[in-house]
């Protein structure tokens, strides 16, 4: 059993990657516990790489046989440590964009088909005095009702699945109210835009032409 005297306490440091949480760490003097590998971090106001040669010479002045390698910027080191999570999130974002596009086309197709199936009803309504804005409101209400049900189901599913994304988020709460609100507004706007074109087309239906076709 080796006793150590604690001379100070510091905050937890993510030494290897950003996902390391709760890992016990301790700093020992080099003379007591010589390390095979040492890391030297230097903060400067000028170009850090311009000081590489000077730092290397200072190290060699202390120990001429000490190798100095892997000279890189801290931004490069952090970027390399999150390369895999970044790639995963880029793939996830790409698939999400494709899903959003498919959902937009799907909503537009369903509402357009529903409008075409109800063209006779819309013609009768307009012949009885319904205004164009009433028809637009009816079609938009029908489409947004379905989209709203989908958003509620998707919201609960997203909250339930956030535990799968927890290991790819750093310093961000998986259940972030602002993010969820922004996504709901975005998807609601996309659904409204997808429903607006069939709704405007339905409001321009001429009652007599529709009734003649029937």
């Amino acid at each position: 059993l080796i006793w150590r005297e604690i001379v100070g306490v510091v905050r937890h440091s993510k030494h290897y990657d950003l996902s390391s949480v709760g890992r016990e760490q301790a700093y020992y003097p080099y003379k007591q516990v010589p390390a095979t590998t040492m890391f030297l971090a230097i903060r400067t106001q000028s170009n850090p790489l311009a000081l590489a040669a000077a730092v290397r010479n200072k190290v060699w002045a202390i120990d001429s046989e000490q190798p100095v390698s892997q000279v890189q910027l801290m931004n490069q080191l952090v970027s390399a440590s999150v390369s895999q999570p970044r790639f995963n999130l880029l793939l996830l974002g790409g698939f999400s964009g494709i899903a959003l596009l498919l959902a937009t086309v799907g909503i537009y197709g369903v509402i357009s088909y529903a409008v075409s199936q109800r063209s006779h009803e819309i013609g009768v309504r307009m012949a009885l005095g319904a205004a164009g804005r009433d028809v637009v409101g009816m079609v938009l209400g029908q489409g947004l009702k379905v989209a709203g049900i989908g958003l509620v189901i998707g919201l609960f599913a997203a909250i339930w699945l956030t535990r799968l994304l927890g290991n790819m988020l750093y310093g961000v709460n998986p259940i972030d109210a602002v993010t969820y609100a922004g996504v709901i507004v975005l998807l609601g706007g996309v659904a409204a835009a997808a429903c607006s074109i069939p709704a405007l087309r339905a409001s321009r239906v001429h009652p007599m032409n529709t009734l003649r076709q029937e």
Side-chain angles (χ1 to χ4, degrees):
L1 180 63
I2 301 177
W3 290 89
R4 303 288 184 182
E5 180 182 357
I6 299 176
V7 297
V9 179
V10 296
R11 291 180 7 177
H12 177 75
S13 174
K14 298 182 182 296
H15 188 71
Y16 295 98
D17 54 61
L18 296 178
S19 61
S20 59
V21 178
R23 183 175 180 178
E24 294 79 7
Q25 296 176 338
Y27 296 91
Y28 299 97
Y30 177 75
K31 290 184 178 181
Q32 294 182 9
V33 184
T36 57
T37 303
M38 296 183 64
F39 299 92
L40 180 62
I42 300 176
R43 178 181 297 177
T44 176
Q45 300 294 334
S46 58
N47 182 13
L49 295 179
L51 299 177
V55 172
R56 187 179 292 108
N57 292 332
K58 287 293 183 180
V59 173
W60 287 342
I62 300 174
D63 185 356
S64 60
E65 297 181 356
Q66 180 67 39
V68 180
S69 61
Q70 298 181 0
V71 178
Q72 56 183 331
L73 299 177
M74 188 62 69
N75 292 338
Q76 297 173 342
L77 184 63
V78 175
S79 179
S81 67
V82 298
S83 58
Q84 186 61 44
R86 185 192 300 113
F87 178 73
N88 295 338
L89 291 178
L90 286 176
L91 283 180
L92 184 61
F95 289 136
S96 300
I98 295 174
L100 180 60
L101 178 61
L102 292 176
T104 304
V105 175
I107 293 174
Y108 171 78
V110 170
I111 300 301
S112 296
Y113 178 75
V115 169
S116 65
Q117 293 295 106
R118 300 176 63 183
S119 59
H120 181 68
E121 174 194 346
I122 294 174
V124 172
R125 287 176 179 271
M126 297 187 70
L128 294 177
R133 61 178 178 273
D134 298 327
V135 175
V136 172
M138 179 187 68
V139 176
L140 278 178
Q142 176 188 0
L144 293 180
K145 180 180 178 180
V146 176
I149 295 174
L151 284 175
V152 173
I153 297 175
L155 178 62
F156 284 103
I159 295 175
W160 183 70
L161 291 172
T162 48
R163 65 179 185 272
L164 300 178
L165 298 176
N167 59 348
M168 292 190 293
L169 301 176
Y170 311 113
V172 178
N173 187 2
I175 305 178
D176 183 53
V178 177
T179 301
Y180 280 94
V183 171
I184 291 174
V185 171
L186 173 63
L187 296 179
V190 169
C195 296
S196 61
I197 298 177
L200 292 174
R201 185 182 299 123
S203 66
R204 296 169 183 167
V205 171
H206 197 283
M208 296 304 298
N209 293 337
T210 305
L211 296 176
R212 286 196 191 99
Q213 292 176 1
E214 297 294 332

Short mmCIF file of all heavy atoms in Angstrom, two decimals, residues 179-204:
data_model
loop_
_atom_site.label_atom_id
_atom_site.label_comp_id
_atom_site.label_asym_id
_atom_site.label_seq_id
_atom_site.Cartn_x
_atom_site.Cartn_y
_atom_site.Cartn_z
N THR A 179 -35.38 22.93 -28.37
CA THR A 179 -35.18 22.13 -29.58
C THR A 179 -36.49 21.48 -30.02
O THR A 179 -36.85 21.50 -31.21
CB THR A 179 -34.11 21.06 -29.35
OG1 THR A 179 -32.89 21.71 -28.97
CG2 THR A 179 -33.88 20.24 -30.59
N TYR A 180 -37.20 20.89 -29.08
CA TYR A 180 -38.46 20.24 -29.42
C TYR A 180 -39.47 21.25 -29.95
O TYR A 180 -40.21 20.96 -30.91
CB TYR A 180 -39.02 19.51 -28.21
CG TYR A 180 -38.37 18.18 -27.96
CD1 TYR A 180 -37.30 18.05 -27.08
CD2 TYR A 180 -38.82 17.03 -28.60
CE1 TYR A 180 -36.70 16.83 -26.85
CE2 TYR A 180 -38.23 15.80 -28.38
CZ TYR A 180 -37.16 15.71 -27.50
OH TYR A 180 -36.57 14.50 -27.28
N ALA A 181 -39.52 22.42 -29.33
CA ALA A 181 -40.45 23.44 -29.80
C ALA A 181 -40.09 23.89 -31.22
O ALA A 181 -40.97 24.07 -32.07
CB ALA A 181 -40.46 24.64 -28.84
N GLY A 182 -38.79 24.07 -31.48
CA GLY A 182 -38.37 24.46 -32.82
C GLY A 182 -38.71 23.42 -33.86
O GLY A 182 -39.14 23.74 -34.99
N VAL A 183 -38.53 22.13 -33.52
CA VAL A 183 -38.85 21.06 -34.47
C VAL A 183 -40.35 21.02 -34.73
O VAL A 183 -40.79 20.82 -35.88
CB VAL A 183 -38.35 19.72 -33.92
CG1 VAL A 183 -38.85 18.56 -34.78
CG2 VAL A 183 -36.83 19.70 -33.88
N ILE A 184 -41.16 21.20 -33.69
CA ILE A 184 -42.61 21.19 -33.87
C ILE A 184 -43.04 22.34 -34.78
O ILE A 184 -43.88 22.18 -35.68
CB ILE A 184 -43.31 21.27 -32.50
CG1 ILE A 184 -43.10 19.96 -31.74
CG2 ILE A 184 -44.80 21.54 -32.67
CD1 ILE A 184 -43.63 19.98 -30.33
N VAL A 185 -42.46 23.53 -34.56
CA VAL A 185 -42.80 24.67 -35.41
C VAL A 185 -42.37 24.41 -36.86
O VAL A 185 -43.10 24.70 -37.81
CB VAL A 185 -42.14 25.95 -34.86
CG1 VAL A 185 -42.29 27.11 -35.85
CG2 VAL A 185 -42.75 26.33 -33.52
N LEU A 186 -41.17 23.84 -37.03
CA LEU A 186 -40.68 23.55 -38.38
C LEU A 186 -41.58 22.55 -39.10
O LEU A 186 -42.01 22.78 -40.24
CB LEU A 186 -39.25 23.01 -38.30
CG LEU A 186 -38.65 22.51 -39.62
CD1 LEU A 186 -38.54 23.63 -40.63
CD2 LEU A 186 -37.28 21.88 -39.37
N LEU A 187 -41.88 21.43 -38.42
CA LEU A 187 -42.72 20.42 -39.06
C LEU A 187 -44.14 20.92 -39.28
O LEU A 187 -44.77 20.59 -40.29
CB LEU A 187 -42.73 19.15 -38.20
CG LEU A 187 -41.38 18.43 -38.06
CD1 LEU A 187 -41.52 17.21 -37.17
CD2 LEU A 187 -40.84 18.04 -39.42
N GLY A 188 -44.64 21.72 -38.33
CA GLY A 188 -45.97 22.30 -38.53
C GLY A 188 -46.00 23.25 -39.72
O GLY A 188 -46.96 23.26 -40.51
N GLY A 189 -44.93 24.05 -39.89
CA GLY A 189 -44.86 24.93 -41.05
C GLY A 189 -44.76 24.17 -42.35
O GLY A 189 -45.37 24.55 -43.36
N VAL A 190 -43.98 23.07 -42.34
CA VAL A 190 -43.87 22.24 -43.55
C VAL A 190 -45.22 21.62 -43.90
O VAL A 190 -45.63 21.60 -45.07
CB VAL A 190 -42.80 21.15 -43.34
CG1 VAL A 190 -42.85 20.11 -44.46
CG2 VAL A 190 -41.42 21.77 -43.26
N ALA A 191 -45.95 21.14 -42.89
CA ALA A 191 -47.27 20.56 -43.14
C ALA A 191 -48.24 21.60 -43.67
O ALA A 191 -49.03 21.33 -44.58
CB ALA A 191 -47.81 19.93 -41.85
N ALA A 192 -48.20 22.81 -43.09
CA ALA A 192 -49.09 23.88 -43.57
C ALA A 192 -48.76 24.26 -45.01
O ALA A 192 -49.66 24.49 -45.83
CB ALA A 192 -48.97 25.10 -42.66
N ALA A 193 -47.46 24.32 -45.34
CA ALA A 193 -47.08 24.64 -46.72
C ALA A 193 -47.52 23.55 -47.68
O ALA A 193 -47.97 23.83 -48.81
CB ALA A 193 -45.56 24.84 -46.80
N ALA A 194 -47.40 22.27 -47.25
CA ALA A 194 -47.81 21.17 -48.11
C ALA A 194 -49.31 21.15 -48.32
O ALA A 194 -49.80 20.73 -49.38
CB ALA A 194 -47.34 19.84 -47.52
N CYS A 195 -50.08 21.60 -47.32
CA CYS A 195 -51.55 21.62 -47.44
C CYS A 195 -52.06 22.86 -48.16
O CYS A 195 -53.19 22.86 -48.67
CB CYS A 195 -52.19 21.55 -46.06
SG CYS A 195 -51.84 20.02 -45.15
N SER A 196 -51.26 23.93 -48.18
CA SER A 196 -51.76 25.20 -48.72
C SER A 196 -52.00 25.14 -50.23
O SER A 196 -52.96 25.73 -50.73
CB SER A 196 -50.77 26.32 -48.40
OG SER A 196 -49.51 26.06 -49.00
N ILE A 197 -51.15 24.42 -50.97
CA ILE A 197 -51.32 24.35 -52.42
C ILE A 197 -52.62 23.65 -52.80
O ILE A 197 -53.42 24.20 -53.59
CB ILE A 197 -50.09 23.66 -53.07
CG1 ILE A 197 -48.83 24.47 -52.80
CG2 ILE A 197 -50.30 23.50 -54.57
CD1 ILE A 197 -47.56 23.83 -53.34
N PRO A 198 -52.92 22.44 -52.26
CA PRO A 198 -54.24 21.86 -52.56
C PRO A 198 -55.40 22.71 -52.06
O PRO A 198 -56.46 22.75 -52.70
CB PRO A 198 -54.19 20.51 -51.85
CG PRO A 198 -52.75 20.20 -51.68
CD PRO A 198 -52.09 21.52 -51.49
N ALA A 199 -55.20 23.39 -50.92
CA ALA A 199 -56.29 24.23 -50.39
C ALA A 199 -56.57 25.40 -51.33
O ALA A 199 -57.74 25.71 -51.61
CB ALA A 199 -55.91 24.74 -49.00
N LEU A 200 -55.52 26.06 -51.83
CA LEU A 200 -55.73 27.16 -52.77
C LEU A 200 -56.34 26.67 -54.07
O LEU A 200 -57.18 27.35 -54.68
CB LEU A 200 -54.40 27.87 -53.03
CG LEU A 200 -53.80 28.64 -51.83
CD1 LEU A 200 -52.42 29.17 -52.18
CD2 LEU A 200 -54.73 29.77 -51.41
N ARG A 201 -55.92 25.48 -54.53
CA ARG A 201 -56.49 24.93 -55.75
C ARG A 201 -57.98 24.63 -55.56
O ARG A 201 -58.79 24.85 -56.47
CB ARG A 201 -55.73 23.67 -56.15
CG ARG A 201 -56.18 23.09 -57.49
CD ARG A 201 -55.46 21.81 -57.84
NE ARG A 201 -54.02 22.03 -57.95
CZ ARG A 201 -53.12 21.39 -57.24
NH1 ARG A 201 -53.51 20.48 -56.36
NH2 ARG A 201 -51.84 21.63 -57.41
N ALA A 202 -58.33 24.13 -54.36
CA ALA A 202 -59.74 23.83 -54.10
C ALA A 202 -60.58 25.10 -54.05
O ALA A 202 -61.74 25.10 -54.46
CB ALA A 202 -59.86 23.06 -52.79
N SER A 203 -60.00 26.21 -53.54
CA SER A 203 -60.77 27.45 -53.44
C SER A 203 -61.05 28.07 -54.80
O SER A 203 -61.93 28.92 -54.93
CB SER A 203 -60.02 28.46 -52.56
OG SER A 203 -58.80 28.87 -53.19
N ARG A 204 -60.31 27.65 -55.84
CA ARG A 204 -60.51 28.20 -57.17
C ARG A 204 -61.39 27.32 -58.05
O ARG A 204 -61.50 27.55 -59.26
CB ARG A 204 -59.14 28.39 -57.84
CG ARG A 204 -58.28 29.43 -57.13
CD ARG A 204 -56.86 29.42 -57.63
NE ARG A 204 -56.03 30.36 -56.88
CZ ARG A 204 -54.71 30.38 -56.93
NH1 ARG A 204 -54.06 29.51 -57.69
NH2 ARG A 204 -54.02 31.26 -56.21
#
